[in-house]
Amino acid sequence: MKNLELLNNILSNNEDSCFIIAEIGQAHDGSLGTAHAYIDAVARAGANAVKFQTHIAEAESSHLETFRVKGFPQDATRYDYWKRMEFTFAQWQDLVDHATAKGLVFLSTPFSIEAVDLLEKLNIQAWKISSGEIENIPLLEKMAQTNKPLLFSSGMSSWKNIDDAVAIAKKYHLDYSIFQCTTSYPCPADKIGLNVIQEIQSRYACPSGLSDHSGTIYSGLAAVTLGARFLELHLTFSKECFGPDVSSSITLEQLQQLVDGVGFLLKARHQIVDKDQIASEMQELKTLFGKSMFAKRDLKKGSKLQESDIALKKPGTGIPAKHFSKVLGKVLLKDYTAGEQLKEIDIEH
């Protein structure tokens, strides 16, 4: 599969491209049909992967967990919410098969060891690790033991936290990437942390990414110009949808714009431009746009050229405007009428 090959090539540092992940998260609100609809939409927009979150309430939540965003009247507790977000194994398999049929890499973030077991049975190709799980060493170890690449989000992490996570990837000799991320919904411009993109590359010699919660495409496009190899953005069908991540999500139209913009920027980034070569190729255009010297008024043979005698006009087929100072004070060798282009042969040297 083309997108899977791209993923593996980027992780191996064999391809300077960008892998775009559309994060559905909980945007399906527990509806299997909506989840499938998102897969179709992501494929149409041209992203490389669709990503979900695999929550198993009994395995990850307790009665002590509180809501990050309280807004679900049908859910008395956070546990109830996660329970409503669950899909069965067969339903997850259908989602994987659907994404694969559409040419997408299927990813899902596990939030428990049980979720890792479920996703491993689905044979997912890489592990996307949530910012909140980067210090969950038993979970990281469980994923690493499957011998699959690790994609770390670093939204709540210090450099020491990231060092510890990377140590696990290195322990198992795994390919990995670190995504700059700020856990803020939506994330304001002053907390995006674009400076961290290149810092990650420098510190860890691995492909870097951006997991963006700004609800725009601006930071993603900027990250690509800084060398980010992965972009992850939350997706929503509409800014009018209901859910905790809508304000930090982009729409399908924005996703299409992002995909097009990334393609444009990658082509621009990879193409080396030689200014001298370009100038040579554009000589005809330079002549068309250039300025040369014309008689501003009728001029007599034998008169000395003054500033007031010369007009600078297009095209640049005569004496170039850059030589203006060199002809001042020079004697004309013939009469000129107003508007006539001056020629070097008619000026005393």
Side-chain angles (χ1 to χ4, degrees):
M1 186 169 63
K2 180 181 177 182
N3 284 322
L4 179 57
E5 182 180 1
L6 176 63
L7 171 64
N8 291 329
N9 284 343
I10 290 175
L11 284 168
S12 300
N13 272 320
N14 291 329
E15 188 163 347
D16 183 13
S17 189
C18 185
F19 192 84
I20 300 174
I21 303 169
E23 159 74 295
I24 310 307
Q26 309 311 312
H28 54 75
D29 201 38
S31 166
L32 184 62
T34 301
H36 279 284
Y38 269 112
I39 291 174
D40 287 332
V42 169
R44 286 195 302 270
N48 305 108
V50 61
K51 190 180 88 68
F52 292 88
Q53 297 176 9
T54 301
H55 294 280
I56 301 175
E58 184 62 34
E60 72 174 77
S61 186
S62 74
H63 69 283
L64 297 176
E65 186 184 9
T66 58
F67 280 96
R68 173 173 68 85
V69 177
K70 182 69 172 77
F72 306 95
Q74 71 270 50
D75 303 318
T77 66
R78 186 73 157 160
Y79 177 96
D80 293 337
Y81 174 70
W82 294 133
K83 192 69 178 176
R84 190 164 57 82
M85 293 299 109
E86 290 182 13
F87 294 135
T88 67
F89 178 83
Q91 290 170 332
W92 278 120
Q93 185 66 69
D94 286 344
L95 290 169
V96 172
D97 292 344
H98 186 181
T100 303
K102 290 293 183 178
L104 296 169
V105 173
F106 179 92
L107 297 172
S108 189
T109 297
F111 288 84
S112 63
I113 288 176
E114 288 82 350
V116 173
D117 289 336
L118 184 152
L119 291 170
E120 178 64 3
K121 291 177 183 177
L122 295 171
N123 194 32
I124 66 167
Q125 302 300 313
W127 299 106
K128 179 63 175 57
I129 298 153
S130 165
S131 298
E133 302 294 335
I134 202 167
E135 292 186 82
N136 188 343
I137 301 303
L139 186 67
L140 299 188
E141 288 276 355
K142 179 72 173 180
M143 287 185 276
Q145 289 165 6
T146 67
N147 201 36
K148 293 175 180 177
L150 303 176
L151 310 176
F152 299 102
S153 274
S154 61
M156 295 180 276
S157 303
S158 66
W159 287 116
K160 176 62 168 60
N161 297 149
I162 299 172
D163 289 343
D164 292 343
V166 167
I168 292 175
K170 290 183 175 180
K171 172 183 173 182
Y172 289 91
H173 307 288
L174 301 176
D175 289 332
Y176 64 93
S177 175
I178 301 162
F179 291 30
Q180 162 53 12
C181 173
T182 300
T183 307
S184 179
Y185 304 87
C187 185
D190 59 342
K191 292 185 178 180
I192 297 294
L194 290 175
N195 61 295
V196 182
I197 298 293
Q198 293 178 325
E199 180 72 8
I200 288 170
Q201 297 166 0
S202 175
R203 281 176 177 259
Y204 302 107
C206 72
S208 62
L210 177 69
S211 183
D212 184 34
H213 302 141
S214 69
T216 74
I217 65 172
Y218 308 139
S219 46
L221 293 174
V224 171
T225 68
L226 294 172
R229 305 285 189 84
F230 291 93
L231 291 181
E232 179 187 46
L233 300 98
H234 280 267
L235 188 65
T236 182
F237 279 137
S238 167
K239 293 288 189 179
E240 303 302 319
C241 284
F242 180 79
D245 297 325
V246 172
S247 64
S248 54
S249 300
I250 62 172
T251 64
L252 292 169
E253 181 181 10
Q254 288 176 303
L255 178 59
Q256 181 66 70
Q257 291 173 337
L258 179 75
V259 170
D260 293 343
V262 168
F264 181 93
L265 290 172
L266 287 174
K267 189 172 184 180
R269 197 176 79 192
H270 294 157
Q271 183 61 50
I272 303 301
V273 171
D274 184 315
K275 291 296 290 181
D276 289 336
Q277 179 184 345
I278 293 293
S280 176
E281 292 172 355
M282 294 187 174
Q283 189 58 52
E284 184 176 342
L285 199 58
K286 286 177 67 177
T287 299
L288 177 64
F289 289 155
K291 300 288 182 63
S292 57
M293 300 183 203
F294 288 76
K296 187 177 286 187
R297 57 189 177 84
D298 291 341
L299 301 172
K300 294 295 185 181
K301 176 181 178 180
S303 61
K304 291 185 177 180
L305 289 170
Q306 306 298 319
E307 286 189 24
S308 59
D309 297 331
I310 303 171
L312 302 177
K313 298 183 178 183
K314 292 183 284 189
T317 53
I319 304 172
K322 66 181 179 181
H323 295 322
F324 184 79
S325 62
K326 294 181 180 180
V327 305
L328 295 180
K330 299 293 184 179
V331 176
L332 279 178
L333 302 180
K334 60 162 283 191
D335 293 342
Y336 271 86
T337 59
E340 189 176 354
Q341 190 179 61
L342 300 181
K343 297 181 176 57
E344 286 191 44
I345 195 172
D346 298 328
I347 300 175
E348 178 186 56
H349 294 284

